[in-house]
Amino acid sequence: MPTSILIIEDESPIADVLAYALKSEGYATQCCTLGSEGLEQLRSGVYALAILDVGLPDMSGFEVCREARKFTDIPILFLTARSDEVDRIVGLEIGADDYVTKPFSPREVVARVRVILRRLTANGVSANAAWFEVDAGSARIRFCGAVLDLTRYEFLLLKMLLDHSGRIYSREVLMDAIWRDALDTSDRTVDTHIKTLRAKLKAVRDDLEPIVTHRGMGYSVANGVGQ
Ligand code: CA
């Protein structure tokens, strides 16, 4: 599967030339012209990197970046036309990874993209990384880069399965560990939560089935390559 790059830029000649240059280097691209649209795309979790114009019709690239940082860590490369914007990108910690100033050569942008992605791979955050990342401190779980919006019990359930990915947990074990103190439970409690979890994972990546049902035994979770 090619690495996907999202281009958020309202000037279509610029977006087109970037998309063309990236495609000829083997990347898949998706373009959108509005910041709101870009955020929606980013929530899908399928992109490895975003190229973001500072001046967008509906909101500034800075706002898009700030919003995006609430749910994704993917690298963001800014496109900017003005030096005072560069000061903001560099000076403030808005979560940008790099920037290029307009006018630029598409070649230069492709080179930057390659460097950023290579740096990530070197740090172990590659396409082969685990699907899930658990941050127990903030009680958040990321799936393919996207932060999942989980209820307390969904979080506890997924976290327990992820503590030993591949291990099969019976409904009884899960029930005892997670719903020990809960008042309102039934035989279907585990299954119902598995179902809502699956729906939330599917919303991020509908081509993956991380939660596995073992008939008559229980559930396990797969956590990416090699598991
Ligand atoms: Ca613009």
Side-chain angles (χ1 to χ4, degrees):
M1 223 169 63
T3 305
S4 292
I5 293 171
L6 181 65
I7 302 168
I8 311 171
E9 162 65 85
D10 58 312
E11 287 162 84
S12 53
I14 294 181
D16 291 349
V17 96
L18 280 179
Y20 181 81
L22 288 163
K23 274 180 198 153
S24 65
E25 293 292 315
Y27 295 105
T29 59
Q30 173 74 42
C31 300
C32 48
T33 54
L34 294 178
S36 52
E37 233 182 298
L39 284 168
E40 208 170 292
Q41 285 288 333
L42 286 175
R43 280 183 203 280
S44 70
V46 302
Y47 299 101
L49 182 144
I51 297 176
L52 175 58
D53 183 34
V54 173
L56 295 167
D58 61 333
M59 57 201 284
S60 83
F62 299 129
E63 288 171 85
V64 174
C65 188
R66 204 172 303 124
E67 278 305 304
R69 282 294 173 247
K70 294 179 183 168
F71 61 87
T72 179
D73 286 334
I74 68 159
I76 294 178
L77 172 65
F78 268 102
L79 302 180
T80 172
R82 306 202 316 251
S83 57
D84 57 324
E85 291 173 348
V86 173
D87 292 344
R88 273 193 82 183
I89 296 168
V90 178
L92 297 178
E93 298 215 327
I94 54 169
D97 292 82
D98 202 354
Y99 67 92
V100 277
T101 46
K102 294 176 179 176
F104 50 76
S105 80
R107 219 178 237 264
E108 181 192 355
V109 177
V110 173
R112 296 289 182 92
V113 165
R114 202 192 304 281
V115 166
I116 296 172
L117 291 176
R118 196 181 299 144
R119 196 163 63 204
L120 271 190
T121 312
N123 290 340
V125 189
S126 68
N128 296 332
W131 291 337
F132 294 95
E133 280 168 75
V134 180
D135 180 353
S138 65
R140 294 205 300 188
I141 298 177
R142 287 172 190 278
F143 175 55
C144 297
V147 173
L148 296 169
D149 182 17
L150 302 176
T151 65
R152 186 171 113 80
Y153 285 117
E154 286 165 357
F155 171 79
L156 292 172
L157 175 58
L158 185 54
K159 183 178 175 304
M160 182 161 175
L161 291 170
L162 282 168
D163 281 344
H164 297 279
S165 54
R167 180 188 288 184
I168 303 171
Y169 290 87
S170 69
R171 288 177 182 74
E172 294 71 32
V173 166
L174 292 168
M175 201 66 205
D176 283 352
I178 296 165
W179 282 273
R180 198 174 35 224
D181 304 320
L183 300 171
D184 193 18
T185 60
S186 77
D187 309 351
R188 304 281 307 154
T189 298
V190 173
D191 299 320
T192 325
H193 284 78
I194 290 283
K195 200 173 159 195
T196 58
L197 266 178
R198 277 188 171 138
K200 288 179 181 183
L201 300 179
K202 200 132 231 130
V204 176
R205 282 285 296 267
D206 66 357
D207 57 329
L208 300 178
E209 276 291 358
I211 299 179
V212 185
T213 306
H214 303 269
R215 202 178 275 268
M217 295 168 75
Y219 297 103
S220 70
V221 72
N223 194 6
V225 172
Q227 309 227 15

